[in-house]
């Protein structure tokens, strides 16, 4: 296979267009910065992002390279199929739930990041601990996206994956560094339009290719492999539900989401963006589902790819670019490559901005340099963009390990951060003791469950745990169980701590977290118990 010159030229034009848009957006942000806080301009766009731009950037953040590639791969895999494609529905529900329950309490106090309510409720020390899982998740996510993009370019353009990673990382870092959220949001518009048009242009050519059977027939009938509709066997139902709840609730406590809903001018606009982006996220999965179905219906021996099939070669993760390359004309596959590059960049820049925003605002400003000026915080954010971006680009060369680390980080965010955020927003009577206990219990229980991808054997074998080919597999919904256990621990220990100090079972001098306000005044037990019932009241208020 020789170097694809037209594809390289086309991709270069796309990169330059994206960079030019990012630079223009940075100029626009400086123009709009008059009488506005420069740090808030960089992090939340001065809370001046309109509904149109907000909708595009929120949708593009979720519709990344892993989203469109992963959806096609799962449909193609004989062991999975369409019924295992949970991300479109899971992400859509996540955005709807986020808009319904979480937007109002986050907007009511003008928070800047998802870490603000956690630091406000549980203090800076716990805030810094809770910062670690999302930071690792964002950096590993950025690295995984770059690795995926490099592998795709290697398939279609026949250029070194390392070169693609370096060029992509430099482009993303540059425009994110210059314009913050403005640059990321406006480039997301270009990228989402490009993803939509490019993928839909490729679909007809792939569907009518002579080596592909009708996908309506292969959905329920075995042809070159099992039907692509898939099935959920009884013993895997627990895992299916666990993954689904993880996608729905574990997608909420990320700065990439709250950065969008906190950047609009009003709560109504923020909720509208959240609802509509959920619909957009779901609809953007349709082209990937069709491409996965085409791949499952193709006689690969009649293509220049030949046998063995992508599944047998272990290249199922590359099924989308393989379909574009081998089942579509060359000029069409180039458009598809642009869609993949656009999807990758739309998520990568969001992850980079998210990590740097939390570091500058929640760690540097609130812990390291409490008297830092706005200009100093802004430079701390820019420095962290460079550091996190360079670190992620370095990790991208170890693609398989990075993906596994990202999955583990994401599960830690679900198990640790989601219950902490729920308690901080809807259970104001919880305190630092409960938060610390929940963090330790959740972290310990998740690690003791093991991680097959990282060769970590389980210490705790939940029901239906089985040993297959030397690897333990947890079929019990342990991720959701761990999250609920963390939530229960936070509430129970918070209640217990107040009770112990309230009844003088522990001396006040032991109250190192100062949950009793540093005075000898005691809250009546009846009042305390009423306060502990306030999550329901708070939830109803925010629902209204």
């Amino acid at each position: 296979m020789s170097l694809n010159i037209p594809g390289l030229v086309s991709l270069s034009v796309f990169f330059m267009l994206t960079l030019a848009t990012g630079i223009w957006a940075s100029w626009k942000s400086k123009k709009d910065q008059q009488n506005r806080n420069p740090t808030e301009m960089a992090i939340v766009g001065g809370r001046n992002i309109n509904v149109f731009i907000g909708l595009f950037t929120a949708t593009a953040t979720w519709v990344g390279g892993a989203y469109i590639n992963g959806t096609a791969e799962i449909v193609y895999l004989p062991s999975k199929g369409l019924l295992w494609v949970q991300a479109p529905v899971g992400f859509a529900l996540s955005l709807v739930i986020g808009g319904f329950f979480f937007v109002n309490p986050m907007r009511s106090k003008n928070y800047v990041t998802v870490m603000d309510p956690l630091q406000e409720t549980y203090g800076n020390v716990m805030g810094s601990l809770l910062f670690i899982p999302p930071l690792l998740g964002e950096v590993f996510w950025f690295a995984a996206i770059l690795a995926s993009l490099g592998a795709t370019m290697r398939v279609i353009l026949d250029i070194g994956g390392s070169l693609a990673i370096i060029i992509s990382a430099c482009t993303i870092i540059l425009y994110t560094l210059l314009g913050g959220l403005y640059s990321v949001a406006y480039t997301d518009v270009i990228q989402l339009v490009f993803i939509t048009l490019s993928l839909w242009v490729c679909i007809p050519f792939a569907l009518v290719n002579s080596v592909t059977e009708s996908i309506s027939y292969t959905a329920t009938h075995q042809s070159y492999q099992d039907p692509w509709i898939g099935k959920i066997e009884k013993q895997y139902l627990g895992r299916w539900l666990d993954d689904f709840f993880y996608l729905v609730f574990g997608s909420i406590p990320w700065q990439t989401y709250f950065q969008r809903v906190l950047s609009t001018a009003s709560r109504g606009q923020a909720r509208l963006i959240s609802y509509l982006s959920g619909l957009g996220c779901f609809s953007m999965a349709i082209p990937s589902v069709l491409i996965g179905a085409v791949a499952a219906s193709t006689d690969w021996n009649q293509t220049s790819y030949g046998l063995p099939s992508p599944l047998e070669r272990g290249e199922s993760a590359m099924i989308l670019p393989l379909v574009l390359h081998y089942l579509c004309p060359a000029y069409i596959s180039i458009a598809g490559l642009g869609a993949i590059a656009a999807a990758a960049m739309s998520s990568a820049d969001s992850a980079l901005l998210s990590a740097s925003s939390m570091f500058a605002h929640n760690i540097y400003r609130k812990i390291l340099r409490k008297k830092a000026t706005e200009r100093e915080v802004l430079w701390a954010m820019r420095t962290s963009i460079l550091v996190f971006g360079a670190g992620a680009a370095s990790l991208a060369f170890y693609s398989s390990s990075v993906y596994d680390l990202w999955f583990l980080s994401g599960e830690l965010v679900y198990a640790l951060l989601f219950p902490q955020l729920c308690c901080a927003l809807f259970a104001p009577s919880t305190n630092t003791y409960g938060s610390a206990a929940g963090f330790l219990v959740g972290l310990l229980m998740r690690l003791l469950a093991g991680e097959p991808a990282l060769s970590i054997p389980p210490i705790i074998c939940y029901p239906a745990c089985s040993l297959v080919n030397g690897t333990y597999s947890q079929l019990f919904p342990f991720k959701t169980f761990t999250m609920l256990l963390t939530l229960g621990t936070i509430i129970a220990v918070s209640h217990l701590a107040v009770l112990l100090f309230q009844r003088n079972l522990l001396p006040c001098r032991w109250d190192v977290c100062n949950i009793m306000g540093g005075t000898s005044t005691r809250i009546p037990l009846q009042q305390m118990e009423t306060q502990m019932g306030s999550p329901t009241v708070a939830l109803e208020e925010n629902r209204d």
Side-chain angles (χ1 to χ4, degrees):
M1 179 178 171
S2 59
L3 179 64
N4 189 332
I5 299 297
L8 187 61
V9 171
S10 175
L11 200 63
S12 299
V13 171
F14 169 73
F15 270 75
M16 287 189 289
L17 177 62
T18 303
L19 183 58
T21 303
I23 293 173
W24 172 82
S26 70
W27 170 82
K28 179 176 173 57
S29 70
K30 290 181 175 62
K31 183 180 178 182
D32 295 343
Q33 192 170 314
Q34 297 176 357
N35 301 321
R36 293 181 184 271
N37 186 306
T39 305
E40 285 202 3
M41 280 296 297
I43 298 177
V44 291
R47 305 191 192 275
N48 194 37
I49 300 295
N50 62 48
V51 173
F52 176 78
I53 300 297
L55 172 60
F56 271 79
T57 186
T59 305
T61 298
W62 296 113
V63 182
Y67 182 83
I68 62 174
N69 279 302
T71 299
E73 178 189 6
I74 293 173
V75 174
Y76 166 71
L77 287 173
S79 59
K80 297 289 185 180
L82 180 63
L83 292 179
W84 283 87
V85 178
Q86 299 167 298
V89 178
F91 286 167
L93 284 176
S94 173
L95 290 163
V96 171
I97 292 172
F100 196 75
F101 291 107
F102 289 85
V103 166
N104 277 1
M106 290 293 290
R107 294 280 317 204
S108 63
K109 294 189 176 181
N110 287 327
Y111 291 132
V112 176
T113 74
V114 68
M115 302 304 300
D116 284 348
L118 300 174
Q119 287 185 316
E120 181 180 272
T121 306
Y122 305 127
N124 286 335
V125 174
M126 275 309 303
S128 60
L129 283 175
L130 294 171
F131 167 71
I132 296 173
L135 171 65
L136 294 177
E138 300 289 13
V139 172
F140 289 144
W141 179 234
F142 187 20
I145 291 170
L146 291 176
S148 174
L149 184 58
T152 300
M153 291 185 180
R154 186 172 64 249
V155 169
I156 296 184
L157 298 183
D158 195 29
I159 65 174
S162 301
L163 179 61
I165 289 171
I166 293 171
I167 294 173
S168 302
C170 289
T171 303
I172 293 168
I173 290 171
L174 181 57
Y175 71 72
T176 305
L177 189 68
L178 291 173
L181 182 63
Y182 258 70
S183 290
V184 171
Y186 278 90
T187 54
D188 279 346
V189 175
I190 301 294
Q191 290 155 359
L192 191 63
V193 170
F194 210 90
I195 295 168
T196 305
L197 295 179
S198 299
L199 285 181
W200 278 110
V201 164
C202 297
I203 295 297
F205 293 93
L207 287 173
V208 301
N209 195 292
S210 60
V211 303
T212 301
E213 278 200 44
S214 169
I215 62 172
S216 60
Y217 175 80
T218 56
T220 55
H221 296 81
Q222 184 164 353
S223 182
Y224 303 110
Q225 63 180 53
D226 291 339
W228 59 265
I229 198 74
K231 60 182 178 179
I232 304 173
E233 297 178 356
K234 185 178 180 180
Q235 65 267 32
Y236 292 108
L237 182 60
R239 176 182 290 179
W240 191 95
L241 291 172
D242 201 20
D243 291 342
F244 183 72
F245 289 131
Y246 164 59
L247 288 169
V248 174
F249 299 110
S251 302
I252 292 174
W254 290 90
Q255 173 63 8
T256 49
Y257 167 66
F258 286 107
Q259 201 146 26
R260 272 70 191 163
V261 297
L262 294 174
S263 66
T264 58
S266 67
R267 298 185 198 180
Q269 289 181 355
R271 297 177 74 169
L272 181 62
I273 285 172
S274 196
Y275 298 149
L276 292 180
S277 61
L279 180 61
C281 185
F282 179 82
S283 63
M284 289 296 294
I286 297 174
S288 293
V289 169
L290 294 175
I291 288 174
V294 166
S297 310
T298 296
D299 181 3
W300 289 96
N301 192 37
Q302 295 188 42
T303 69
S304 56
Y305 184 83
L307 292 179
S309 66
L311 176 65
E312 294 167 325
R313 296 189 195 187
E315 295 182 350
S316 57
M318 302 300 300
I319 200 64
L320 191 144
L322 289 174
V323 167
L324 299 180
H325 185 65
Y326 291 99
L327 299 181
C328 298
Y331 61 93
I332 294 298
S333 67
I334 292 171
L337 174 63
I340 296 172
M345 294 175 71
S346 67
S347 292
D349 54 14
S350 299
L352 182 60
L353 181 64
S354 169
S356 60
S357 299
M358 289 188 293
F359 174 79
H361 179 73
N362 297 105
I363 303 300
Y364 188 81
R365 183 206 295 271
K366 294 189 176 182
I367 298 177
L368 300 179
R369 285 275 295 168
K370 294 183 179 180
K371 295 183 179 180
T373 63
E374 292 298 328
R375 182 177 178 84
E376 189 177 342
V377 174
L378 193 59
W379 276 105
M381 180 177 171
R382 290 169 176 168
T383 303
S384 61
I385 288 174
L386 288 172
V387 173
F388 294 152
S394 301
L395 289 170
F397 298 112
Y398 307 95
S399 56
S400 59
S401 300
V402 169
Y403 269 107
D404 297 336
L405 289 169
W406 175 74
F407 277 115
L408 181 58
S409 300
E411 291 177 9
L412 288 177
V413 169
Y414 177 44
L416 304 180
L417 202 60
F418 178 69
Q420 301 271 1
L421 181 64
C422 287
C423 288
L425 294 177
F426 306 121
S429 52
T430 55
N431 54 52
T432 309
Y433 298 110
S435 175
F439 182 88
L440 292 175
V441 168
L443 179 63
L444 184 64
M445 293 298 292
R446 177 58 193 90
L447 295 179
L448 291 179
E451 180 52 55
L454 298 174
S455 300
I456 301 175
I459 304 300
I460 299 177
C461 286
Y462 290 97
C465 179
S466 59
L467 182 64
V468 180
N469 298 324
T471 301
Y472 283 95
S473 177
Q474 301 272 21
L475 300 183
F476 181 79
F478 70 94
K479 293 192 288 286
T480 301
F481 174 76
T482 303
M483 183 273 291
L484 293 174
L485 187 62
T486 302
L487 180 65
T489 301
I490 295 170
I491 296 173
V493 173
S494 295
H495 190 283
L496 179 62
V498 172
L499 192 66
L500 291 175
F501 287 116
Q502 174 72 29
R503 296 188 173 181
N504 288 323
L505 297 175
L506 290 177
C508 287
R509 66 177 182 275
W510 288 10
D511 184 14
V512 294
C513 296
N514 197 31
I515 64 170
M516 303 303 293
T519 67
S520 60
T521 304
R522 291 291 181 263
I523 303 173
L525 183 60
Q526 183 179 2
Q527 179 183 346
M528 178 196 68
E529 290 174 347
T530 302
Q531 290 177 353
M532 292 307 298
S534 61
T536 304
V537 177
L539 188 60
E540 292 297 331
E541 290 175 351
N542 286 296
R543 183 177 299 172
D544 294 335

